[in-house]
């Protein structure tokens, strides 16, 4: 079903995000028939381009970032014809009048700030000055949403000066991933899981986001950020929230976001001994972090593992182990919920009897798997084995289903539809920083150096210890 007619303005239209994700995502929605005839996209940036040149650039970007089997030339031409370009200086006056004159009344108006947070204030003021912050219009902002609590508050205040919270769409693309939403469907659409979803039955939870890529080319940003700010404060925190939150009264923006906020507020401060930081070393013919970031003695972590506690009635006593890193053995994102053992085994000690684990796999091979114990088939007596009940989505979703564009496709369409459920509210972001800041401050005060780890490994040895000492182990990264 096509969405309502819209004017979508992309600030930072010549940037990497626009080329790699936003425009390919819009093209794919167009291909799927979701963009109405009256949908228009206006790119703006400082470069002196005209409509034709920008369309040409985006043609290349789409050919590069959309799989060849999704390219249809008629659809591509139709999509490119929607694109217009306005040269605009975010910090000055150039281009604003022209942009304002192009925005049509009576259609959905959305402004995507695909620029560094340093320009958010200028853009918000520019839109206001030129009468574009009309009622019902939306702005979309990307991470990093601040660098710490203070800067996040300042950004929120800047945006709030010109827009209501209902108009602000803070993207965390993890919330747009298919399986992340499925997690909510599984939890709240079934009777089976929720009664067991608490500290009485859950032994522990592991959340892993492992990547194989390094940071070559983004060292400037990454070195000031590190894994804690780049991944934990946002993506991993959101995953933790969706696992830990209470059932919202409805699948509605504020109902869901209120529950997530309560989880973040219930997080205990992390003990320094419950964190392991790592930095990838050189190896396998690949450069190490220091070389990739061109900062020889950097103390920035490219890996982090930590143990978190949600102190509320539901979760007291069940640890959440979080781990994320670059240049690891495989690209894997998953959440694993390990249930406690049955109180008594009527089968005696048996190797085959393992704890139930519910694995929610975000990428690749998205799906949900429940590991259960059954009897080994055959006449061999009551021997137990573990088998997976497999709910793989690969078939349903088809090839390329794990493509990151999917998250952007869904989220951008939600902006046009005016649905904020999968976007972060300002108070959530601030609460997440309030939890993150002291952790970072503590290691900075100790001048802590991250532990080097081999590329292609599972991270530093110490990360294994974080679980071993609790009598548990990480799932393999594969
Ligand atoms: C981004 C981070 O937000 O998420 C990157 O800045 C990271 O460092 C990326 O690589 C991971 O996203 P995905 O969807 O590939 O898991």
């Amino acid at each position: 079903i096509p969405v309502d007619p819209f004017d979508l303005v992309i600030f930072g239209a010549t940037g990497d995000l626009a080329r790699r994700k936003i425009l390919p995502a819009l093209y794919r929605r167009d291909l799927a028939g979701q963009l109405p005839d009256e949908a228009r996209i206006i790119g703006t940036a400082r470069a002196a381009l005209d409509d034709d040149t920008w369309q040409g650039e985006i043609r290349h970007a789409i050919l590069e970032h959309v799989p060849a089997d999704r390219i249809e030339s008629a659809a591509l031409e139709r999509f490119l014809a929607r694109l217009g370009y306005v040269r605009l200086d975010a910090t000055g006056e150039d281009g604003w009048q022209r942009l304002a004159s192009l925005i049509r009344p009576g259609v959905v108006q959305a402004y995507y700030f695909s620029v560094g947070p340093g320009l958010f204030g200028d853009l918000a003021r520019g839109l206001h000055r030129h009468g574009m912050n009309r009622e019902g219009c939306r702005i979309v902002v990307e991470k990093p949403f601040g660098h710490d609590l203070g800067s996040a508050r300042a950004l929120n205040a800047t945006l709030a000066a010109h827009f209501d919270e209902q108009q602000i769409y803070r993207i965390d693309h993890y919330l747009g991933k298919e399986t992340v939403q499925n997690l909510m469907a599984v939890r709240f659409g079934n009777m089976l899981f929720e009664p067991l979803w608490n500290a009485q039955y859950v032994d522990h939870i592991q959340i892993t986001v492992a990547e194989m890529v390094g940071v070559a080319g983004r060292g400037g940003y990454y070195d000031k950020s590190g894994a804690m700010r780049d991944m934990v404060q946002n993506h991993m925190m959101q995953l933790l929230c969706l696992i830990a939150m209470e059932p919202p009264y409805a699948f509605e923006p504020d109902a869901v976001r209120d529950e997530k906020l309560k989880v973040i507020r219930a997080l205990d401060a992390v003990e320094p001994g419950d964190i392991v930081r790592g930095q990838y070393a050189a190896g396998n013919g690949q450069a190490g972090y220091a070389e990739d970031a061109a900062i020889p003695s950097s103390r920035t972590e490219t890996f982090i593992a930590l143990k978190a506690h949600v102190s509320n009635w539901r979760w007291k006593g069940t640890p959440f182990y979080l781990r994320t890193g670059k240049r690891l053995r495989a690209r894997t994102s998953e959440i694993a919920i390990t249930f406690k053992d049955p109180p008594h085994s009527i089968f005696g000690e048996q190797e085959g009897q393992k704890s139930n684990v519910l694995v929610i796999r975000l990428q690749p091979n998205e799906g949900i798997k429940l590991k259960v114990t059954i009897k080994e088939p055959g006449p061999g007596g009551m021997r137990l084995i573990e088998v997976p009940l497999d709910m793989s989505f690969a078939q349903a979703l088809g090839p390329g289903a794990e493509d990151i564009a999917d998250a952007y496709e869904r989220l951008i369409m939600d902006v046009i539809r005016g649905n904020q459920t999968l976007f972060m509210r300002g108070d959530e972001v601030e609460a997440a920083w309030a939890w993150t800041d002291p952790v970072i401050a503590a290691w900075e005060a100790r001048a802590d150096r991250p532990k080097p780890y081999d590329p292609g490994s599972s991270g530093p040895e110490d990360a294994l210890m974080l679980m071993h000492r609790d009598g548990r182990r990480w799932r393999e990264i594969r």
Side-chain angles (χ1 to χ4, degrees):
I1 311 167
V3 293
D4 289 340
F6 63 82
D7 280 344
L8 170 66
V9 176
I10 303 174
F11 294 105
T14 51
D16 189 55
L17 184 74
R19 294 171 42 84
R20 266 192 320 126
K21 293 176 188 163
I22 304 173
L23 286 147
L26 283 159
Y27 161 73
R28 288 166 70 138
R29 284 297 89 206
D30 199 1
L31 186 65
Q34 216 177 359
L35 304 197
D37 290 344
E38 307 87 342
R40 258 193 357 192
I41 299 155
I42 304 169
T44 86
R46 252 199 317 234
L49 306 178
D50 55 20
D51 290 355
D52 283 349
T53 351
W54 191 51
Q55 287 174 3
E57 282 190 9
I58 297 311
R59 180 196 306 278
H60 277 120
I62 289 173
L63 293 175
E64 190 182 341
H65 297 293
V66 175
D69 62 358
R70 307 273 175 99
I71 302 288
E72 284 176 21
S73 63
L76 181 57
E77 296 316 313
R78 179 184 70 208
F79 177 73
L80 293 173
R82 300 177 185 280
L83 307 185
Y85 183 85
V86 174
R87 179 179 178 204
L88 181 135
D89 178 5
T91 57
E93 278 303 313
D94 279 0
W96 285 99
Q97 287 291 354
R98 168 131 191 274
L99 179 63
S101 73
L102 292 175
I103 303 297
R104 296 166 298 173
V107 301
V108 173
Q109 294 152 8
Y111 301 93
Y112 201 128
F113 292 11
S114 178
V115 297
L119 287 178
F120 288 2
D122 293 303
L123 293 179
R125 280 186 293 273
L127 289 171
H128 170 77
R129 250 198 339 271
H130 296 89
M132 282 179 274
N133 63 337
R134 300 199 192 113
E135 207 186 322
C137 82
R138 287 133 217 193
I139 60 168
V140 184
V141 298
E142 280 281 341
K143 70 177 270 268
F145 198 83
H147 190 250
D148 55 14
L149 178 57
S151 53
R153 274 195 183 136
L155 278 179
N156 275 334
T158 304
L159 298 181
H162 302 292
F163 298 92
D164 293 339
E165 183 61 35
Q166 287 70 29
Q167 296 179 286
I168 305 172
Y169 289 71
R170 294 177 194 79
I171 288 207
D172 184 311
H173 77 273
Y174 267 59
L175 290 178
K177 289 185 191 273
E178 182 70 21
T179 327
V180 173
Q181 289 164 80
N182 232 312
L183 166 61
M184 286 188 273
V186 165
R187 270 197 73 186
F188 304 126
N190 295 288
M191 194 56 205
L192 206 56
F193 301 107
E194 198 52 23
L196 306 180
W197 209 266
N198 56 53
Q200 199 184 340
Y201 296 104
V202 175
D203 178 71
H204 75 278
I205 289 160
Q206 298 185 24
I207 305 179
T208 299
V209 178
E211 297 183 279
M212 293 173 83
V213 293
V215 301
R218 340 165 43 209
Y221 152 76
Y222 196 88
D223 200 66
K224 290 192 213 71
S225 169
M228 189 72 173
R229 290 187 170 101
D230 185 51
M231 297 294 291
V232 179
Q233 185 270 347
N234 37 73
H235 306 322
M236 309 222 25
M237 176 70 83
Q238 291 295 321
L239 298 180
L240 187 154
C241 283
L242 296 179
I243 293 284
M245 72 182 182
E246 295 301 314
Y249 66 83
F251 190 60
E252 282 172 9
D254 281 331
V256 172
R257 298 187 299 176
D258 286 347
E259 297 307 335
K260 287 197 289 168
L261 179 62
K262 287 185 211 162
V263 172
I264 306 176
R265 293 209 169 129
L267 279 170
D268 286 348
V270 183
E271 300 290 331
D274 287 346
I275 302 182
V276 176
R277 297 165 70 231
Q279 190 185 79
Y280 64 83
N284 302 343
Q286 287 173 314
Y289 174 76
E291 195 182 320
D292 274 351
I295 302 179
S297 60
S298 167
R299 289 206 299 258
T300 299
E301 78 284 354
T302 60
F303 173 97
I304 194 156
L306 62 84
K307 177 158 79 164
H309 291 280
V310 179
S311 275
N312 60 18
W313 273 50
R314 187 189 279 264
W315 292 117
K316 188 76 188 176
T318 295
F320 287 71
Y321 298 93
L322 274 47
R323 151 180 82 154
T324 182
K326 307 264 183 215
R327 277 263 193 277
L328 296 177
R329 178 176 301 153
R331 177 172 187 249
T332 301
S333 301
E334 63 169 36
I335 302 165
I337 296 152
T338 302
F339 291 87
K340 290 189 174 166
D341 291 333
H344 165 69
S345 173
I346 65 169
F347 308 107
E349 288 278 308
Q350 281 225 22
E351 246 187 43
Q353 181 159 17
K354 302 254 168 69
S355 332
N356 294 131
V357 186
L358 180 70
V359 182
I360 298 150
R361 197 158 161 110
L362 310 185
Q363 60 200 22
N365 313 325
E366 309 178 297
I368 299 186
K369 218 184 250 181
L370 178 63
K371 294 196 175 174
V372 294
T373 297
I374 60 162
K375 176 187 167 299
E376 188 177 41
M382 188 50 103
R383 290 241 297 273
L384 303 182
I385 53 166
E386 182 188 51
V387 294
L389 277 179
D390 206 337
M391 301 169 259
S392 159
F393 307 142
Q395 269 181 333
L397 296 175
E402 49 130 337
D403 194 331
I404 192 166
D406 280 333
Y408 274 85
E409 285 172 56
R410 181 168 298 118
L411 294 174
I412 296 171
M413 289 300 103
D414 277 357
V415 171
I416 305 299
R417 291 191 201 99
N419 184 344
Q420 284 186 306
T421 311
L422 300 176
F423 296 83
M424 293 179 295
R425 207 167 55 192
D427 51 3
E428 258 184 273
V429 177
E430 290 184 14
W433 280 120
W435 176 78
T436 314
D437 278 1
V439 179
I440 296 175
W443 78 54
E444 281 180 352
R446 292 195 310 273
D448 178 70
R449 283 210 155 270
K451 306 269 185 299
Y453 61 91
D454 290 334
S457 69
S458 303
E461 285 287 312
D462 293 28
L464 303 179
M465 283 314 296
L466 188 69
M467 289 199 77
H468 281 183
R469 62 174 203 213
D470 294 346
R472 302 183 175 108
R473 57 199 297 182
W474 290 105
R475 288 167 50 77
E476 238 178 87
I477 295 179
R478 62 193 156 104

